[in-house]
């Protein structure tokens, strides 16, 4: 099964067929979602009724409300953007600090703490959400019963959604940034120090620029993961629902091509972000 | 650096880590564990007891779903591995130049769309008014609409789809680093495809296999959207029960107990997987 090991012709053909079927399997669900966003029919299913942009732009006058006139979806989209912004900021900041902590410093119990740092990766998302809900809502109840103080930040709502997502996305950011820091040549920093830079200046002029591609990559990943997260978010959301939860609620009522339009928008948006991040990362690597 | 400066920077860098891990991971989980042992006496007093765990074992609906979720997650993980391995092998070892990058990228694309979008796509394909049903009718294989959604097979198709990326990437990474000469040596020494795969390739790929399996298993066990949207009335998932206890019934004590049980199940299986294959968490995840 190597290029240098001879294979029979039928094995090759079978292998090729398998590859084709696999990539079809991979592409099909996304393709149909995208295509039916343009079908001029009230349901995303065959038969094909003709091409339309109604599911994006219709203003509701002929019984169809396109995505860009659907206030519910648009506000959910905005909620998702706000949440993703804060999650990205917090995760990248903590991730940077963690990366330096584990790659550069020596302290007692480092191995153990590193394992603890990895833990959020092996906790199911629903459990992360539930535990944060129990802990903070319990605290809010306690404060309200005993002292009569209303701690609304600890009730289900956007602050808790952000907390829940930060809990596990931080680990991923740490891993991405730490992987690049590990490849950094310490002599560059020492040269800067020898040339008279203070440690802070050396950090900002030498190390940080080196880390930048991984920081941008981690930020893009954090933004996408936050935007797409459902399992943790659904447990912690209050009256302002992020897009995934809003879409889920719509989907349970029944599917319309507006959902396809939203899905297509999400695919295009995240593909653009991914390409952007990869482009920057690629440039960083070739430098 | 002077020792005091070193200490200061250690404290400064340790602070965000400690705040994050303690406030968002450790304390919440300890509290969930505590609440799972709460037994409500009156509206504002609680005692400690095993009532919730008792409910779990006496109510067959709970533990049946629990076992079902575990078994189906293991099966999904195994199926994902079997499907992904030839693909990863092709990308890592057989594809050349550009096609290697393009195929790898093609594996990533579905994951730029969210789980909700992927599941939605499958619903459009599989349901009664969906694409597959229409095609079957058009070519004359079916007389009327065929419902392919809302059964266990549909759930597994969706779950495998969701897990593929997390299996393909670690496999490609480990297989990429393999020295072809040891495989050639295996053939030279008279091994056939099967023995070479079992004795040389699989042991080499083991870190990737284990890390892929752990992530896919975790994601599957903890998934909520796919089983709910693609499964029928009889294909309940354990996360769904946790959600019901918390959000619908407002029975946090019972929900916390179910949450603890799910966490124990996933930890035990991940631990057992690492033990059996001789890997450790740091090696496969970090």
């Amino acid at each position: 099964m190597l290029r240098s090991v001879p294979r029979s012709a039928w094995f090759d053909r079978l292998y090729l067929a398998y590859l084709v079927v696999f990539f079809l399997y991979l592409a099909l669900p996304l393709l149909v979602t995208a295509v039916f966003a343009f079908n001029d029919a009230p349901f995303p299913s065959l038969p094909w009724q003709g091409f339309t942009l109604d599911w994006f732009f219709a203003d509701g006058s002929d019984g169809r409300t396109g995505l860009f006139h659907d206030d519910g979806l648009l506000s959910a989209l905005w909620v998702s953007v706000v949440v993703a912004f804060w999650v990205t900021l917090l995760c990248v900041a903590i991730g940077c600090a963690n990366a330096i902590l584990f790659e550069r410093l020596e302290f007692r119990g480092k191995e153990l703490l590193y394992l603890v740092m990895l833990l959020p990766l092996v906790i199911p998302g629903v459990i992360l959400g539930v535990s944060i809900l129990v802990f903070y809502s319990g605290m809010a109840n306690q404060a309200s019963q005993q002292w009569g103080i209303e701690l609304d930040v600890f009730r289900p709502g956007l602050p808790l959604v952000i907390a829940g997502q930060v809990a596990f996305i931080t680990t991923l950011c740490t891993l991405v940034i730490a992987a690049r820091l590990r490849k950094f040549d310490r002599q560059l920093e020492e040269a800067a120090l020898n040339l008279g830079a203070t440690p802070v200046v050396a950090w900002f002029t030498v190390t940080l620029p080196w880390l930048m591609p991984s920081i941008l990559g981690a930020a893009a990943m954090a933004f996408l993961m936050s935007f797409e997260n459902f399992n943790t978010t659904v447990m912690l959301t209050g009256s302002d629902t992020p897009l995934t939860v809003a879409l889920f609620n719509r989907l349970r009522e029944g599917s319309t091509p507006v959902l396809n339009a939203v899905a297509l928008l999400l695919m295009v948006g995240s593909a653009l972000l991914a390409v952007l991040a990869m482009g920057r990362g690629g440039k960083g690597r070739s430098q | 650096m002077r020792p005091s400066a070193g200490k200061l920077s250690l404290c400064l860098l340790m602070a965000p880590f400690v705040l994050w891990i303690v406030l968002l991971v450790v304390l919440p989980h300890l509290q969930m564990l505590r609440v799972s042992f709460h037994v409500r006496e009156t509206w504002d007093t609680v005692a400690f007891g095993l009532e919730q765990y008792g409910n779990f074992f006496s109510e067959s609906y709970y533990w049946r779903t629990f076992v079902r979720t575990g078994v189906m997650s293991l099966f999904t993980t195994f199926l994902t591995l079997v499907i992904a391995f030839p693909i990863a092998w092709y990308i890592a070892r057989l594809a050349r130049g550009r096609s290697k990058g393009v195929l790898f990228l093609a594996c990533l694309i579905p994951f730029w769309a969210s789980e909700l979008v992927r599941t939605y796509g499958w619903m459009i394909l599989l349901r009664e008014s969906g694409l597959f049903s229409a095609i079957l009718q058009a070519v004359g294989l079916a007389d009327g609409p065929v419902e392919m959604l809302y059964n266990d097979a549909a759930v597994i198709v969706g779950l495998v789809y969701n897990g593929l990326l997390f299996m393909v990437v670690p496999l490609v990474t480990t297989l990429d680093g393999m020295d072809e000469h040891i495989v050639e040596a295996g053939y030279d020494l008279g091994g056939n495809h099967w023995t070479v795969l079992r004795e040389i390739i699989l042991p080499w790929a083991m870190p990737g296999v284990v890390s892929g399996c752990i992530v896919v298993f975790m994601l599957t066990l903890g998934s909520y959207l796919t089983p709910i949207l693609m499964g029928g009335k009889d294909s309940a998932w354990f996360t769904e029960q946790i959600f019901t206890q918390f959000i619908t019934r407002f029975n946090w004590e019972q929900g916390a107990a179910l949450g603890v049980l799910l966490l124990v199940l996933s930890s035990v299986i991940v631990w057992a997987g690492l033990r059996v294959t001789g890997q450790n968490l740091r090696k496969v995840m970090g």
Side-chain angles (χ1 to χ4, degrees), chain A residues 1 3-4 15 18 25-26 45 111 122 130 136 167 228 231 255 260 270, chain B residues 23 83 86 89 93 96 112 120 127 129 157 161 184 187 218 222 246 282:
Chain A
M1 280 195 292
R3 283 197 290 263
S4 54
Y15 206 157
Y18 180 70
Y25 169 70
L26 216 54
S45 58
E111 277 301 299
V122 287
V130 158
Y136 286 101
E228 293 170 356
N231 285 0
S255 57
N260 293 57
S270 43
Chain B
L23 287 181
I83 291 174
W89 180 261
R93 306 257 52 133
R96 291 159 195 267
W112 294 344
Y120 183 56
R127 71 166 157 238
S129 60
V157 167
Y161 190 85
E184 279 167 18
Y187 283 108
M218 294 297 315
F246 271 96
R282 170 160 196 157

mmCIF file of all heavy atoms in Angstrom, chain A residues 1 3-4 15 18 25-26 45 111 122 130 136 167 228 231 255 260 270, chain B residues 23 83 86 89 93 96 112 120 127 129 157 161 184 187 218 222 246 282:
data_model
loop_
_atom_site.group_PDB
_atom_site.id
_atom_site.type_symbol
_atom_site.label_atom_id
_atom_site.label_comp_id
_atom_site.label_asym_id
_atom_site.label_seq_id
_atom_site.Cartn_x
_atom_site.Cartn_y
_atom_site.Cartn_z
ATOM 1 N N MET A 1 0.818 -1.211 0.000
ATOM 2 C CA MET A 1 0.000 0.000 0.000
ATOM 3 C C MET A 1 0.854 1.263 0.000
ATOM 4 O O MET A 1 0.457 2.286 0.513
ATOM 5 C CB MET A 1 -0.923 -0.009 1.223
ATOM 6 C CG MET A 1 -2.138 -0.883 1.015
ATOM 7 S SD MET A 1 -3.366 -0.541 2.239
ATOM 8 C CE MET A 1 -2.567 -1.161 3.702
ATOM 9 N N ARG A 3 3.556 3.780 -2.470
ATOM 10 C CA ARG A 3 3.794 4.052 -3.880
ATOM 11 C C ARG A 3 4.812 3.068 -4.431
ATOM 12 O O ARG A 3 4.750 2.651 -5.574
ATOM 13 C CB ARG A 3 4.306 5.483 -4.052
ATOM 14 C CG ARG A 3 3.213 6.512 -3.947
ATOM 15 C CD ARG A 3 3.674 7.833 -4.533
ATOM 16 N NE ARG A 3 4.686 8.436 -3.690
ATOM 17 C CZ ARG A 3 4.417 9.369 -2.790
ATOM 18 N NH1 ARG A 3 3.181 9.789 -2.617
ATOM 19 N NH2 ARG A 3 5.359 9.886 -2.045
ATOM 20 N N SER A 4 5.780 2.660 -3.566
ATOM 21 C CA SER A 4 6.862 1.802 -4.057
ATOM 22 C C SER A 4 6.498 0.321 -4.032
ATOM 23 O O SER A 4 7.218 -0.494 -4.557
ATOM 24 C CB SER A 4 8.109 2.033 -3.206
ATOM 25 O OG SER A 4 7.789 1.845 -1.842
ATOM 26 N N TYR A 15 -9.945 1.506 -4.354
ATOM 27 C CA TYR A 15 -9.488 2.572 -3.468
ATOM 28 C C TYR A 15 -9.973 3.935 -3.994
ATOM 29 O O TYR A 15 -10.513 4.763 -3.256
ATOM 30 C CB TYR A 15 -7.963 2.558 -3.402
ATOM 31 C CG TYR A 15 -7.370 3.145 -2.137
ATOM 32 C CD1 TYR A 15 -6.088 2.780 -1.712
ATOM 33 C CD2 TYR A 15 -8.066 4.056 -1.352
ATOM 34 C CE1 TYR A 15 -5.541 3.301 -0.557
ATOM 35 C CE2 TYR A 15 -7.518 4.576 -0.202
ATOM 36 C CZ TYR A 15 -6.256 4.201 0.199
ATOM 37 O OH TYR A 15 -5.710 4.714 1.332
ATOM 38 N N TYR A 18 -13.595 4.420 -3.461
ATOM 39 C CA TYR A 18 -13.846 4.738 -2.063
ATOM 40 C C TYR A 18 -13.608 6.221 -1.790
ATOM 41 O O TYR A 18 -14.407 6.892 -1.129
ATOM 42 C CB TYR A 18 -12.947 3.881 -1.171
ATOM 43 C CG TYR A 18 -13.149 4.147 0.289
ATOM 44 C CD1 TYR A 18 -14.322 3.747 0.924
ATOM 45 C CD2 TYR A 18 -12.192 4.824 1.044
ATOM 46 C CE1 TYR A 18 -14.530 3.992 2.260
ATOM 47 C CE2 TYR A 18 -12.392 5.075 2.384
ATOM 48 C CZ TYR A 18 -13.555 4.660 2.992
ATOM 49 O OH TYR A 18 -13.770 4.920 4.312
ATOM 50 N N TYR A 25 -19.844 12.082 0.073
ATOM 51 C CA TYR A 25 -20.491 12.033 1.390
ATOM 52 C C TYR A 25 -20.195 13.311 2.166
ATOM 53 O O TYR A 25 -21.060 13.905 2.804
ATOM 54 C CB TYR A 25 -19.970 10.793 2.109
ATOM 55 C CG TYR A 25 -20.285 10.655 3.584
ATOM 56 C CD1 TYR A 25 -21.574 10.393 4.022
ATOM 57 C CD2 TYR A 25 -19.262 10.722 4.534
ATOM 58 C CE1 TYR A 25 -21.848 10.225 5.369
ATOM 59 C CE2 TYR A 25 -19.528 10.556 5.883
ATOM 60 C CZ TYR A 25 -20.825 10.305 6.304
ATOM 61 O OH TYR A 25 -21.088 10.144 7.633
ATOM 62 N N LEU A 26 -18.940 13.757 2.043
ATOM 63 C CA LEU A 26 -18.505 14.946 2.766
ATOM 64 C C LEU A 26 -19.183 16.206 2.228
ATOM 65 O O LEU A 26 -19.571 17.094 2.982
ATOM 66 C CB LEU A 26 -16.987 15.069 2.615
ATOM 67 C CG LEU A 26 -16.185 15.585 3.788
ATOM 68 C CD1 LEU A 26 -16.474 14.771 5.029
ATOM 69 C CD2 LEU A 26 -14.708 15.520 3.445
ATOM 70 N N SER A 45 -36.909 21.440 -0.427
ATOM 71 C CA SER A 45 -36.929 20.077 -0.958
ATOM 72 C C SER A 45 -37.289 20.121 -2.434
ATOM 73 O O SER A 45 -37.727 21.141 -2.956
ATOM 74 C CB SER A 45 -37.943 19.226 -0.200
ATOM 75 O OG SER A 45 -39.220 19.813 -0.292
ATOM 76 N N GLU A 111 3.812 19.673 35.555
ATOM 77 C CA GLU A 111 3.198 18.561 34.806
ATOM 78 C C GLU A 111 1.730 18.396 35.164
ATOM 79 O O GLU A 111 0.867 18.258 34.300
ATOM 80 C CB GLU A 111 3.932 17.255 35.119
ATOM 81 C CG GLU A 111 5.188 17.038 34.307
ATOM 82 C CD GLU A 111 4.900 17.014 32.808
ATOM 83 O OE1 GLU A 111 4.133 16.143 32.383
ATOM 84 O OE2 GLU A 111 5.429 17.876 32.087
ATOM 85 N N VAL A 122 -11.624 17.129 27.548
ATOM 86 C CA VAL A 122 -12.264 15.828 27.712
ATOM 87 C C VAL A 122 -13.514 15.902 28.597
ATOM 88 O O VAL A 122 -13.957 14.909 29.130
ATOM 89 C CB VAL A 122 -11.277 14.757 28.247
ATOM 90 C CG1 VAL A 122 -10.311 14.357 27.158
ATOM 91 C CG2 VAL A 122 -10.537 15.246 29.457
ATOM 92 N N VAL A 130 -23.671 22.902 32.113
ATOM 93 C CA VAL A 130 -24.501 22.589 33.277
ATOM 94 C C VAL A 130 -23.798 22.963 34.571
ATOM 95 O O VAL A 130 -24.390 23.554 35.473
ATOM 96 C CB VAL A 130 -24.853 21.081 33.255
ATOM 97 C CG1 VAL A 130 -25.230 20.602 34.633
ATOM 98 C CG2 VAL A 130 -25.970 20.827 32.276
ATOM 99 N N TYR A 136 -23.030 29.180 39.268
ATOM 100 C CA TYR A 136 -23.288 30.623 39.325
ATOM 101 C C TYR A 136 -24.748 30.935 39.647
ATOM 102 O O TYR A 136 -25.020 31.865 40.413
ATOM 103 C CB TYR A 136 -22.827 31.289 38.025
ATOM 104 C CG TYR A 136 -21.327 31.358 37.981
ATOM 105 C CD1 TYR A 136 -20.578 30.454 37.235
ATOM 106 C CD2 TYR A 136 -20.636 32.293 38.740
ATOM 107 C CE1 TYR A 136 -19.195 30.478 37.227
ATOM 108 C CE2 TYR A 136 -19.250 32.329 38.743
ATOM 109 C CZ TYR A 136 -18.544 31.421 37.984
ATOM 110 O OH TYR A 136 -17.163 31.451 38.006
ATOM 111 N N ALA A 167 -14.382 28.630 29.011
ATOM 112 C CA ALA A 167 -13.905 27.483 29.787
ATOM 113 C C ALA A 167 -13.162 26.475 28.919
ATOM 114 O O ALA A 167 -12.134 25.959 29.326
ATOM 115 C CB ALA A 167 -15.074 26.812 30.507
ATOM 116 N N GLU A 228 -20.101 28.935 16.587
ATOM 117 C CA GLU A 228 -20.779 27.703 16.226
ATOM 118 C C GLU A 228 -21.199 26.886 17.423
ATOM 119 O O GLU A 228 -21.899 25.904 17.289
ATOM 120 C CB GLU A 228 -19.842 26.856 15.360
ATOM 121 C CG GLU A 228 -19.582 27.492 14.034
ATOM 122 C CD GLU A 228 -18.482 26.795 13.280
ATOM 123 O OE1 GLU A 228 -17.879 25.868 13.847
ATOM 124 O OE2 GLU A 228 -18.235 27.189 12.142
ATOM 125 N N ASN A 231 -23.720 23.223 22.308
ATOM 126 C CA ASN A 231 -23.912 22.389 23.496
ATOM 127 C C ASN A 231 -23.752 23.138 24.814
ATOM 128 O O ASN A 231 -24.544 22.953 25.730
ATOM 129 C CB ASN A 231 -22.924 21.219 23.472
ATOM 130 C CG ASN A 231 -23.352 20.163 22.478
ATOM 131 O OD1 ASN A 231 -24.373 20.311 21.829
ATOM 132 N ND2 ASN A 231 -22.582 19.112 22.366
ATOM 133 N N SER A 255 -38.640 23.504 8.830
ATOM 134 C CA SER A 255 -37.569 24.165 8.101
ATOM 135 C C SER A 255 -38.115 24.959 6.927
ATOM 136 O O SER A 255 -39.064 24.548 6.267
ATOM 137 C CB SER A 255 -36.559 23.133 7.608
ATOM 138 O OG SER A 255 -37.210 22.185 6.817
ATOM 139 N N ASN A 260 -31.811 27.792 5.197
ATOM 140 C CA ASN A 260 -30.741 27.488 4.239
ATOM 141 C C ASN A 260 -29.918 28.729 3.946
ATOM 142 O O ASN A 260 -28.693 28.656 3.839
ATOM 143 C CB ASN A 260 -31.320 26.969 2.925
ATOM 144 C CG ASN A 260 -31.976 25.629 3.086
ATOM 145 O OD1 ASN A 260 -32.884 25.487 3.894
ATOM 146 N ND2 ASN A 260 -31.511 24.648 2.350
ATOM 147 N N SER A 270 -17.589 31.707 7.627
ATOM 148 C CA SER A 270 -16.516 30.993 8.317
ATOM 149 C C SER A 270 -15.429 30.568 7.346
ATOM 150 O O SER A 270 -14.258 30.533 7.716
ATOM 151 C CB SER A 270 -17.056 29.812 9.113
ATOM 152 O OG SER A 270 -18.002 29.108 8.376
ATOM 153 N N LEU B 23 -12.292 29.136 38.488
ATOM 154 C CA LEU B 23 -13.637 29.719 38.444
ATOM 155 C C LEU B 23 -14.526 29.099 37.373
ATOM 156 O O LEU B 23 -15.744 29.067 37.521
ATOM 157 C CB LEU B 23 -13.547 31.231 38.195
ATOM 158 C CG LEU B 23 -13.051 32.066 39.365
ATOM 159 C CD1 LEU B 23 -13.040 33.534 38.997
ATOM 160 C CD2 LEU B 23 -13.916 31.827 40.596
ATOM 161 N N ILE B 83 -13.674 4.348 8.669
ATOM 162 C CA ILE B 83 -13.923 5.140 7.460
ATOM 163 C C ILE B 83 -12.778 6.104 7.196
ATOM 164 O O ILE B 83 -12.365 6.300 6.056
ATOM 165 C CB ILE B 83 -15.253 5.908 7.588
ATOM 166 C CG1 ILE B 83 -16.419 4.921 7.563
ATOM 167 C CG2 ILE B 83 -15.412 6.940 6.468
ATOM 168 C CD1 ILE B 83 -17.761 5.539 7.816
ATOM 169 N N PRO B 86 -8.436 4.844 5.681
ATOM 170 C CA PRO B 86 -7.958 4.815 4.293
ATOM 171 C C PRO B 86 -7.801 6.218 3.705
ATOM 172 O O PRO B 86 -6.875 6.460 2.911
ATOM 173 C CB PRO B 86 -9.061 4.052 3.549
ATOM 174 C CG PRO B 86 -9.787 3.303 4.590
ATOM 175 C CD PRO B 86 -9.705 4.120 5.839
ATOM 176 N N TRP B 89 -4.667 7.680 5.143
ATOM 177 C CA TRP B 89 -3.533 6.995 4.523
ATOM 178 C C TRP B 89 -3.282 7.557 3.128
ATOM 179 O O TRP B 89 -2.146 7.834 2.749
ATOM 180 C CB TRP B 89 -3.792 5.492 4.448
ATOM 181 C CG TRP B 89 -2.668 4.738 3.820
ATOM 182 C CD1 TRP B 89 -2.585 4.303 2.541
ATOM 183 C CD2 TRP B 89 -1.443 4.368 4.454
ATOM 184 N NE1 TRP B 89 -1.388 3.675 2.320
ATOM 185 C CE2 TRP B 89 -0.656 3.704 3.485
ATOM 186 C CE3 TRP B 89 -0.926 4.549 5.741
ATOM 187 C CZ2 TRP B 89 0.606 3.219 3.773
ATOM 188 C CZ3 TRP B 89 0.334 4.052 6.014
ATOM 189 C CH2 TRP B 89 1.085 3.400 5.035
ATOM 190 N N ARG B 93 0.160 9.407 2.535
ATOM 191 C CA ARG B 93 1.195 8.592 1.896
ATOM 192 C C ARG B 93 1.097 8.472 0.390
ATOM 193 O O ARG B 93 2.098 8.279 -0.279
ATOM 194 C CB ARG B 93 1.180 7.174 2.498
ATOM 195 C CG ARG B 93 1.306 7.165 3.984
ATOM 196 C CD ARG B 93 2.673 6.789 4.460
ATOM 197 N NE ARG B 93 3.754 7.560 3.873
ATOM 198 C CZ ARG B 93 4.731 8.088 4.583
ATOM 199 N NH1 ARG B 93 4.771 7.917 5.876
ATOM 200 N NH2 ARG B 93 5.683 8.746 4.000
ATOM 201 N N ARG B 96 0.211 13.073 -4.022
ATOM 202 C CA ARG B 96 1.451 13.830 -4.229
ATOM 203 C C ARG B 96 1.150 15.312 -4.397
ATOM 204 O O ARG B 96 0.077 15.677 -4.876
ATOM 205 C CB ARG B 96 2.133 13.381 -5.519
ATOM 206 C CG ARG B 96 2.695 12.013 -5.501
ATOM 207 C CD ARG B 96 2.844 11.568 -6.957
ATOM 208 N NE ARG B 96 3.055 10.135 -7.058
ATOM 209 C CZ ARG B 96 4.259 9.579 -7.096
ATOM 210 N NH1 ARG B 96 5.325 10.329 -7.036
ATOM 211 N NH2 ARG B 96 4.382 8.277 -7.202
ATOM 212 N N TRP B 112 -15.970 24.098 8.675
ATOM 213 C CA TRP B 112 -16.120 25.548 8.742
ATOM 214 C C TRP B 112 -17.588 25.886 8.931
ATOM 215 O O TRP B 112 -17.929 26.982 9.360
ATOM 216 C CB TRP B 112 -15.578 26.197 7.471
ATOM 217 C CG TRP B 112 -14.109 26.035 7.328
ATOM 218 C CD1 TRP B 112 -13.246 25.673 8.320
ATOM 219 C CD2 TRP B 112 -13.324 26.226 6.166
ATOM 220 N NE1 TRP B 112 -11.977 25.619 7.829
ATOM 221 C CE2 TRP B 112 -11.982 25.957 6.516
ATOM 222 C CE3 TRP B 112 -13.607 26.598 4.852
ATOM 223 C CZ2 TRP B 112 -10.951 26.064 5.608
ATOM 224 C CZ3 TRP B 112 -12.565 26.699 3.957
ATOM 225 C CH2 TRP B 112 -11.263 26.435 4.324
ATOM 226 N N TYR B 120 -28.484 19.969 9.633
ATOM 227 C CA TYR B 120 -29.579 20.460 8.795
ATOM 228 C C TYR B 120 -29.446 19.914 7.374
ATOM 229 O O TYR B 120 -30.436 19.480 6.768
ATOM 230 C CB TYR B 120 -29.554 21.990 8.814
ATOM 231 C CG TYR B 120 -30.677 22.637 8.051
ATOM 232 C CD1 TYR B 120 -31.995 22.348 8.351
ATOM 233 C CD2 TYR B 120 -30.411 23.535 7.025
ATOM 234 C CE1 TYR B 120 -33.024 22.936 7.659
ATOM 235 C CE2 TYR B 120 -31.434 24.133 6.327
ATOM 236 C CZ TYR B 120 -32.740 23.833 6.635
ATOM 237 O OH TYR B 120 -33.753 24.408 5.935
ATOM 238 N N ARG B 127 -34.885 13.219 4.912
ATOM 239 C CA ARG B 127 -36.277 13.124 5.353
ATOM 240 C C ARG B 127 -37.229 12.765 4.218
ATOM 241 O O ARG B 127 -36.843 12.715 3.051
ATOM 242 C CB ARG B 127 -36.695 14.404 6.058
ATOM 243 C CG ARG B 127 -36.835 15.553 5.133
ATOM 244 C CD ARG B 127 -37.578 16.681 5.807
ATOM 245 N NE ARG B 127 -37.205 17.890 5.114
ATOM 246 C CZ ARG B 127 -36.653 18.932 5.678
ATOM 247 N NH1 ARG B 127 -36.421 18.937 6.955
ATOM 248 N NH2 ARG B 127 -36.332 19.977 4.958
ATOM 249 N N SER B 129 -39.567 14.159 2.594
ATOM 250 C CA SER B 129 -39.652 15.028 1.423
ATOM 251 C C SER B 129 -38.257 15.388 0.914
ATOM 252 O O SER B 129 -38.086 16.337 0.172
ATOM 253 C CB SER B 129 -40.418 16.297 1.785
ATOM 254 O OG SER B 129 -39.739 16.968 2.829
ATOM 255 N N VAL B 157 -25.158 8.071 11.030
ATOM 256 C CA VAL B 157 -24.619 8.748 9.839
ATOM 257 C C VAL B 157 -24.219 10.179 10.199
ATOM 258 O O VAL B 157 -23.120 10.638 9.871
ATOM 259 C CB VAL B 157 -25.668 8.765 8.705
ATOM 260 C CG1 VAL B 157 -25.246 9.741 7.602
ATOM 261 C CG2 VAL B 157 -25.836 7.383 8.115
ATOM 262 N N TYR B 161 -20.339 11.690 10.540
ATOM 263 C CA TYR B 161 -20.004 12.860 9.733
ATOM 264 C C TYR B 161 -19.379 13.957 10.596
ATOM 265 O O TYR B 161 -18.379 14.558 10.230
ATOM 266 C CB TYR B 161 -21.280 13.377 9.057
ATOM 267 C CG TYR B 161 -21.045 14.435 8.013
ATOM 268 C CD1 TYR B 161 -20.736 14.085 6.712
ATOM 269 C CD2 TYR B 161 -21.125 15.782 8.328
ATOM 270 C CE1 TYR B 161 -20.516 15.051 5.756
ATOM 271 C CE2 TYR B 161 -20.902 16.750 7.376
ATOM 272 C CZ TYR B 161 -20.607 16.384 6.091
ATOM 273 O OH TYR B 161 -20.389 17.340 5.141
ATOM 274 N N GLU B 184 8.314 -0.891 3.810
ATOM 275 C CA GLU B 184 8.943 -1.709 2.746
ATOM 276 C C GLU B 184 9.652 -2.915 3.337
ATOM 277 O O GLU B 184 9.549 -4.026 2.823
ATOM 278 C CB GLU B 184 9.952 -0.860 1.966
ATOM 279 C CG GLU B 184 9.300 0.012 0.924
ATOM 280 C CD GLU B 184 10.256 1.060 0.388
ATOM 281 O OE1 GLU B 184 11.478 0.913 0.552
ATOM 282 O OE2 GLU B 184 9.764 2.046 -0.190
ATOM 283 N N TYR B 187 7.269 -5.638 3.987
ATOM 284 C CA TYR B 187 6.924 -6.421 2.794
ATOM 285 C C TYR B 187 8.088 -7.318 2.390
ATOM 286 O O TYR B 187 7.889 -8.470 2.014
ATOM 287 C CB TYR B 187 6.542 -5.498 1.635
ATOM 288 C CG TYR B 187 5.153 -4.923 1.751
ATOM 289 C CD1 TYR B 187 4.952 -3.588 2.047
ATOM 290 C CD2 TYR B 187 4.029 -5.735 1.555
ATOM 291 C CE1 TYR B 187 3.677 -3.053 2.153
ATOM 292 C CE2 TYR B 187 2.751 -5.219 1.661
ATOM 293 C CZ TYR B 187 2.577 -3.877 1.949
ATOM 294 O OH TYR B 187 1.323 -3.373 2.055
ATOM 295 N N MET B 218 -15.676 11.666 22.767
ATOM 296 C CA MET B 218 -16.153 12.747 23.644
ATOM 297 C C MET B 218 -17.233 13.569 22.948
ATOM 298 O O MET B 218 -18.266 13.872 23.533
ATOM 299 C CB MET B 218 -15.016 13.713 23.982
ATOM 300 C CG MET B 218 -13.930 13.162 24.797
ATOM 301 S SD MET B 218 -14.534 12.681 26.363
ATOM 302 C CE MET B 218 -15.508 14.103 26.721
ATOM 303 N N GLY B 222 -21.176 13.565 24.063
ATOM 304 C CA GLY B 222 -21.706 14.830 24.560
ATOM 305 C C GLY B 222 -22.547 15.569 23.542
ATOM 306 O O GLY B 222 -22.985 16.679 23.810
ATOM 307 N N PHE B 246 -32.771 19.915 33.676
ATOM 308 C CA PHE B 246 -32.389 21.271 34.047
ATOM 309 C C PHE B 246 -33.390 22.299 33.549
ATOM 310 O O PHE B 246 -33.879 23.133 34.309
ATOM 311 C CB PHE B 246 -31.002 21.611 33.486
ATOM 312 C CG PHE B 246 -29.914 21.242 34.419
ATOM 313 C CD1 PHE B 246 -29.254 20.035 34.296
ATOM 314 C CD2 PHE B 246 -29.542 22.091 35.446
ATOM 315 C CE1 PHE B 246 -28.256 19.677 35.167
ATOM 316 C CE2 PHE B 246 -28.544 21.748 36.325
ATOM 317 C CZ PHE B 246 -27.898 20.535 36.192
ATOM 318 N N ARG B 282 -1.229 13.519 28.001
ATOM 319 C CA ARG B 282 -0.378 14.614 27.555
ATOM 320 C C ARG B 282 0.151 14.349 26.142
ATOM 321 O O ARG B 282 0.194 15.233 25.301
ATOM 322 C CB ARG B 282 0.789 14.776 28.528
ATOM 323 C CG ARG B 282 1.793 15.727 27.975
ATOM 324 C CD ARG B 282 2.710 16.308 28.966
ATOM 325 N NE ARG B 282 3.320 17.445 28.311
ATOM 326 C CZ ARG B 282 3.844 18.461 28.922
ATOM 327 N NH1 ARG B 282 3.802 18.510 30.208
ATOM 328 N NH2 ARG B 282 4.380 19.443 28.240
#
